[in-house]
Amino acid sequence: DFAERVENSGFVFIGPTAASIRTMGDKVAAKAAMKRVGVPCVPGSGGPLGDDTDENAKHAKDIGFPLIVKAAAGGGGRGMRVVRDKAELADAIASARREAASAFGDDRVYLERYVSDPHHVEVQVLGDGRGHVLALGERECSVQRRHQKVLEEAPAPGLSPAMREQMGATAIAAARAVNYVGAGTVEFI
């Protein structure tokens, strides 16, 4: 809202546009935007979950267990629950919704395949809002506690030159998809 107020006042907001912040700040909208431009995403429910437990169970079955319930407006490891079987699903959704509502004022949650022990690599991007985007390098962020980074190492060890190049190109495509302005981060697992 602040970025939009600055933009509407005729001033220049230093950073992403309000539209970019809204899209990338909502994990469901961000995934949809990335899929439209061919950026690979972790398989998931494709949108926020409703209240129909049978429909939610169908999404879970399609994704496969283990999976993770994630807050659409989340961050910082809040509103996330790992679900290892169908019996845990309804309680995990309810619990994640409560935490998401409390932490973010938005109780929407969605499902994603849970990737255990992933490498979490982030690529820093810099965009000028005119379609020019640079990938500034990557960092390994796999050392985490409760889905929060504890340690970052740059450059990320163990990446082949081809993988490093592919991740940079994908990060650039992601930033261009939302006409990103300023410095940002594209996360990979």
Side-chain angles (χ1 to χ4, degrees):
D1 292 340
F2 177 74
E4 185 173 62
R5 280 186 250 140
V6 171
E7 291 168 4
N8 290 338
S9 72
F11 292 100
V12 174
F13 181 73
I14 305 299
T17 64
S20 291
I21 293 170
R22 280 201 177 92
T23 299
M24 298 307 280
D26 180 320
K27 292 177 183 172
V28 172
K31 282 185 79 160
M34 296 305 102
K35 286 179 180 180
R36 282 193 295 274
V37 297
V39 170
C41 296
V42 175
S45 57
L49 299 177
D51 294 326
D52 185 329
T53 54
D54 290 336
E55 184 71 18
N56 293 342
K58 182 187 177 313
H59 286 303
K61 182 180 177 190
D62 291 345
I63 295 164
F65 291 96
L67 56 81
I68 188 164
V69 181
K70 295 177 84 173
R78 306 289 305 272
M80 297 171 72
R81 300 291 183 278
V82 175
V83 180
R84 302 209 182 275
D85 61 53
K86 183 180 174 182
E88 302 173 357
L89 185 63
D91 287 343
I93 291 170
S95 177
R97 278 189 173 144
R98 283 190 303 274
E99 185 174 17
S102 175
F104 310 113
D106 183 343
D107 72 347
R108 293 175 306 129
V109 296
Y110 67 101
L111 302 178
E112 240 180 34
R113 179 172 295 143
Y114 179 66
V115 180
S116 60
D117 300 319
H119 278 277
H120 177 137
V121 178
E122 298 182 352
V123 175
Q124 194 75 40
V125 294
L126 190 60
D128 68 1
R130 295 181 179 91
H132 301 103
V133 180
L134 299 173
L136 302 178
E138 84 293 332
R139 57 192 180 261
E140 171 73 46
C141 304
S142 298
V143 178
Q144 297 190 7
R145 181 174 180 261
R146 288 191 224 150
H147 308 290
Q148 280 288 102
K149 293 175 285 199
V150 175
L151 183 68
E152 298 183 10
E153 182 179 359
L159 290 183
S160 69
M163 178 60 72
R164 185 170 276 118
E165 185 177 325
Q166 181 181 1
M167 290 174 77
T170 302
I172 288 170
R176 283 187 177 140
V178 294
N179 198 29
Y180 201 81
V181 177
T185 302
V186 179
E187 299 185 24
F188 296 87
I189 58 170

